Amino acid sequence: MAAVTLGAEASRSQTSRDYRAFMRSKDPAAVIETVTAEFTRWLGEKGLQQDSHEDARWASDSGSGQVQRETTEGAELLRCQLVEPGTSMGTWTTEVLAASEGWIDVSVSNSQGRFVAVPRLAKALMRDLDLRDASLQLLDNVKLWDVAELDMLVELLQDPDRHGLVLVAGTGPDPGLFDAFRARIHTWTREVFGLAQSIVLTPQATWALAERLSFHAVPAWTLRTYYPGVQPLDAIDSRRHRYMSTATLATEPDAYLRSVLGNVARAHAARRPEPIEVVEARRALDRAETAALLDRLDTPTERPSVTLPGRQETGETRVQTRDADTLPETRELVPQADVMAAIREILRLDEVSPETVRSAFNAMVDQVREAELEQIKTASLRIKEQAARIEELEDRVRLSDELLDDDILERALLQDEATRVNAEVRWLRARLREKEDYEAANGAPPDEFEIDYPQSCLELLDRIAEDDVLVFTGDREEVAAVDEVDTLQLAARAAWDACTSLREYARAHTDGKCSSGVDHFLRHRPAGYEGVSPGKHGATETGVTMRRFGGERVFAVPAEVDTSRSKTMTAHFKLARIGLFSPRLYYYDDLNRTGKIYIGYLGRHLTNTQTN
């Protein structure tokens, strides 16, 4: 399994870097046989000569796997799985679910959260079958579309049932640049096959699409990511569909652009609810597997046949006996027809003696023990898998409860803030009318009073690079991970508001209006200073969190702040509710010494007592 190490491994969500693709075939009847054949061939490439046409479980030094078939409600279900543990890059798990109804679900994950490249197995299936996402065929290439395909493109972009992304590149009237740009699109989108489709528009199609979609247009020499369910008339919705600017495409290395697009596609696949067909199929297969396992455990182990070499088919079993007073040379053989015949039959012995009975009994016990141990190992693995799944769900519930509590508190604070601001606006408008300044009283605010928010968290870092107060000392790749999931720029805007609050706090500190820290400033904000609601700020972490996970909150600072070049930072801003990622911004207030505030971390929610 190929892997691309992109850094910031520990901070990335494992599922956001896994490969997971859902596809439908135009030829449902060919799905089961094609998946079976390709999985068998793929195993052969790995040196595992396992025929996937029969149900089986197997294990070897290089890995373990299974092929399982079930029929439910007239549909044939297939699960092919391979687990490759013990590699230098962790454990790789590949699972393919398929149904005779015509769908295929391919997932590949890594235990260390490493980036999973497009699997060879997925590419082979896309070559062998006409696989589609909504109306678009999934191919291992980049399409070139002209004006004639615009109706199909707009329909595809608006389709809410589409699972994957659509990457659209716009071009301009520069023939010398067109071919080179088109070739680079293939390089940049190499890690999205099966997860997204890539389309290059001709200059005419780029212009025509702008006329039709307005807010959702793709400018020339840019690359835009379209999520399912585009709303063409909704300006707010256009914020979901981010694009890479001409400057970004021209200046960033190919590997960086490829990794960003690959991670965005994987993050979207991880966040999108699993198709109901896959959920029902996995449950049916799991139930059948569990039932079969319980049947094996409930059924008494069959007595194995113990056959010793050289057995003679005679009608009488003879046992060697020795009388205490009988010399060896006068020993006689005494027939024990009834008792010994039973022993002979049960133990399948030719000659009955203490040694042969003991040997046969031990062999039988070993075979029984081996069979039972195999069943116990299977049951143990099943229990561990289910326990891990339960633990993950418990973690999700705990973190969701924590985030919900934060949301409820923040909503209450925002309602109070909105009530106060609305009252202030009404009062100011009334005063303006009293002054007969009706244009100012009733008109919309001028554009210059609109907040110029950055389009991404990385752009925010570029803006504060020359700031007099704020200094970013963290890892830019952690920040890039936020941009991958921040489709509506909620985190980018919240981070900008947090930075504005820190600047305003520094201004109030300089003006002598606040000397008790950021939290006190936000809760008792002086008139004339801006700041976010106090609910979005955390002054510290709990003692339990710091004892158990305090090491995660040690971030880099310059030597003039601390000679160790690191500092524990507990004060933070809650940026946005984005699933379990829900990013945070941690900072260290050093205004009293260096006159700076150091932002040591901007990234995903760190581990606390609610997460694992």
Side-chain angles (χ1 to χ4, degrees), residues 307-433:
T307 304
L308 298 180
R311 176 183 176 182
Q312 300 174 358
E313 295 296 333
T314 61
E316 182 180 89
T317 299
R318 303 174 69 83
V319 60
Q320 295 180 357
T321 63
R322 179 187 300 180
D323 188 272
D325 298 327
T326 303
L327 295 176
E329 59 271 16
T330 62
R331 184 187 314 158
E332 64 176 344
L333 296 176
V334 180
Q336 303 285 334
D338 295 335
V339 176
M340 303 314 295
I343 296 176
R344 172 191 171 198
E345 180 63 28
I346 293 172
L347 298 182
R348 296 178 180 270
L349 296 175
D350 295 320
E351 182 178 307
V352 178
S353 69
E355 291 76 14
T356 58
V357 171
R358 186 179 298 109
S359 176
F361 181 76
N362 289 339
M364 184 171 64
V365 169
D366 288 344
Q367 290 186 37
V368 171
R369 182 181 292 118
E370 183 179 350
E372 290 180 343
L373 284 176
E374 183 62 32
Q375 293 179 7
I376 291 172
K377 285 172 59 179
T378 302
S380 175
L381 178 61
R382 188 85 178 140
I383 291 170
K384 288 178 180 178
E385 289 174 349
Q386 293 182 346
R389 192 176 303 174
I390 290 171
E391 289 174 0
E392 180 183 355
L393 292 174
E394 288 175 343
D395 288 341
R396 287 177 176 270
V397 170
R398 282 196 299 270
L399 182 55
S400 295
D401 287 343
E402 179 198 15
L403 296 175
L404 179 60
D405 290 342
D406 289 344
D407 283 351
I408 292 173
L409 176 60
E410 182 183 347
R411 181 174 297 180
L413 293 170
L414 288 175
Q415 285 179 339
D416 289 345
E417 180 76 5
T419 300
R420 184 189 64 78
V421 170
N422 286 334
E424 184 177 322
V425 169
R426 288 195 300 272
W427 176 70
L428 290 174
R429 288 183 184 276
R431 294 297 302 272
L432 288 170
R433 292 189 188 99

Side-chain angles (χ1 to χ4, degrees), residues 469 502 505-518 560-561 587-598:
V469 174
L502 292 175
Y505 158 69
R507 184 166 70 90
H509 184 275
T510 301
D511 295 344
K513 299 292 183 66
C514 179
S515 59
S516 301
V518 176
E560 58 264 29
V561 178
Y587 69 91
Y588 177 68
D589 176 9
D590 200 40
L591 286 179
N592 290 327
R593 293 184 66 252
T594 61
K596 305 287 186 182
I597 298 176
Y598 297 92

Side-chain angles (χ1 to χ4, degrees), residues 21 23 25 30-39 41 95-98 104-106 119-132 137-138:
M23 322 169 198
S25 173
V31 165
I32 297 295
E33 181 59 34
T34 302
V35 171
T36 300
E38 285 297 345
F39 190 72
R41 185 188 60 78
E95 182 184 67
V96 182
L97 295 177
I104 302 173
D105 186 78
V106 180
R120 297 194 308 274
L121 180 58
K123 291 181 179 180
L125 292 173
M126 283 187 278
R127 286 194 301 268
D128 294 346
L129 296 168
D130 183 354
L131 297 176
R132 295 175 176 265
Q137 185 179 11
L138 295 170

Side-chain angles (χ1 to χ4, degrees), residues 205-214 217:
T206 302
W207 180 85
L209 185 67
E211 291 293 304
R212 293 184 60 171
L213 292 187
S214 182

